[in-house]
């Protein structure tokens, strides 16, 4: 009698082998893309020419409260970069000068702004201001840029006790070309928002 052996099924069907092959090709392609991705730094010019509109001359000066900026210090834990955009480190210089110029926005509300070192006679109505930069950061998230500016400000003078307050503001913009101008505009938006909140507190103090 001839015995007939039942054919055993292959433990790895051809379909499964095909799936494994496709996954392998996809993983190899992803690794190749990652290796070829642009990792060159993005150099950002933070300091832009101030807008001619909205100057302090268009408002009544609030001479009863002059803001004297004694110092702006960079106290960031990371001073090397301003974040990462699609794997590219963001590099920006003159952060202290950039923040100091940002405080000129307060002049649009009518406050006289002075920096220490200018030959002015101190007044009892002066609001002495010391600024500490805690964070300036930008990153890409899906199709958008996100930016954050965090400052600590110490107010003194005007016969009031010294007050320290933290200010944090963020901004979001669409990421079109992952360019340096986009990052600069994003961080400028965040700085303007932070200074605006500082101005709201100055309004109450003054």
């Amino acid at each position: 009698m001839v015995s007939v052996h039942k054919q055993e099924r292959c433990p790895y069907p051809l379909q499964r082998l095909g799936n494994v092959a496709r996954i392998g090709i996809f993983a190899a392609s992803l690794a190749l893309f990652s290796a070829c991705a642009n990792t060159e730094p993005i150099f950002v010019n933070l300091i832009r020419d101030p807008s001619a509109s909205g100057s302090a001359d268009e408002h009544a000066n609030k001479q009863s409260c002059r803001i004297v900026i004694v110092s702006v210090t960079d106290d960031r834990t990371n001073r090397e970069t301003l974040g990462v955009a699609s794997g590219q480190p963001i590099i920006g210089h003159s952060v202290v000068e950039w923040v100091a110029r940002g405080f000129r926005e307060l002049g649009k509300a009518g406050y006289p702004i002075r920096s220490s070192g200018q030959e002015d006679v101190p007044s009892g109505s002066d609001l002495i201001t010391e600024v500490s930069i805690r964070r300036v950061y930008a990153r890409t998230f899906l199709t958008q840029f996100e930016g954050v500016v965090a400052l600590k400000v110490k107010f003194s003078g005007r016969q009031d006790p010294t007050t320290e307050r933290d200010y944090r503001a963020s901004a979001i913009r669409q990421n079109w070309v992952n360019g340096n101008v986009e990052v600069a505009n994003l961080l400028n938006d965040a700085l303007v928002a932070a200074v605006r909140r500082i101005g709201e507190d100055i309004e109450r103090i003054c």
Side-chain angles (χ1 to χ4, degrees):
M1 178 180 289
V2 179
S3 61
V4 178
H5 297 283
K6 188 177 181 180
Q7 184 178 5
E8 295 182 359
R9 290 186 176 182
C10 178
Y12 299 101
L14 293 178
Q15 183 179 1
R16 181 174 297 178
L17 290 175
N19 291 338
V20 172
R22 283 192 290 270
I23 292 174
I25 294 173
F26 176 76
S29 301
L30 183 61
L32 180 62
F33 175 79
S34 299
C36 296
N38 187 4
T39 58
E40 291 295 322
I42 299 175
F43 293 95
V44 177
N45 178 21
L46 291 172
I47 300 176
R48 313 295 294 276
D49 292 333
S51 173
S53 62
S55 63
D57 294 338
E58 298 177 5
H59 305 272
N61 284 340
K62 301 178 181 180
Q63 298 291 347
S64 61
C65 188
R66 183 175 65 169
I67 301 170
V68 179
I69 302 175
V70 174
S71 63
V72 178
T73 58
D74 191 348
D75 296 323
R76 293 175 295 156
T77 55
N78 176 19
R79 302 183 189 179
E80 301 299 323
T81 66
L82 300 175
V84 179
S86 301
Q88 298 176 257
I90 302 171
I91 308 297
H93 303 292
S94 304
V95 175
V96 169
E97 184 180 357
W98 171 65
V99 171
R101 288 194 178 192
F103 272 77
R104 295 179 182 176
E105 290 289 318
L106 296 173
K108 295 180 181 180
Y111 294 107
I113 309 294
R114 297 291 183 271
S115 299
S116 61
Q118 293 182 340
E119 296 181 358
D120 286 329
V121 178
S123 169
S125 63
D126 289 345
L127 182 62
I128 308 301
T129 307
E130 301 173 61
V131 182
S132 168
I133 306 170
R134 294 307 178 93
R135 195 178 192 199
V136 178
Y137 185 79
R139 67 163 185 161
T140 48
F141 180 72
L142 298 178
T143 61
Q144 293 181 322
F145 273 122
E146 296 180 346
V148 172
V149 172
L151 307 172
K152 179 182 283 291
V153 182
K154 180 190 293 185
F155 301 108
S156 59
R158 296 187 57 81
Q159 294 81 43
D160 293 328
T162 299
T163 302
E164 282 190 355
R165 295 177 182 173
D166 293 306
Y167 300 90
R168 182 183 184 278
S170 60
I172 296 176
R173 277 179 176 254
Q174 193 71 23
N175 180 12
W176 295 109
V177 295
N178 209 49
N180 52 3
V181 175
E182 288 180 308
V183 178
N185 290 336
L186 173 81
L187 292 175
N188 274 289
D189 288 347
L191 178 60
V192 169
V195 172
R196 185 179 299 117
R197 294 179 183 177
I198 293 170
E200 292 171 357
D201 279 347
I202 290 176
E203 182 73 27
R204 288 189 286 269
I205 294 173
C206 291

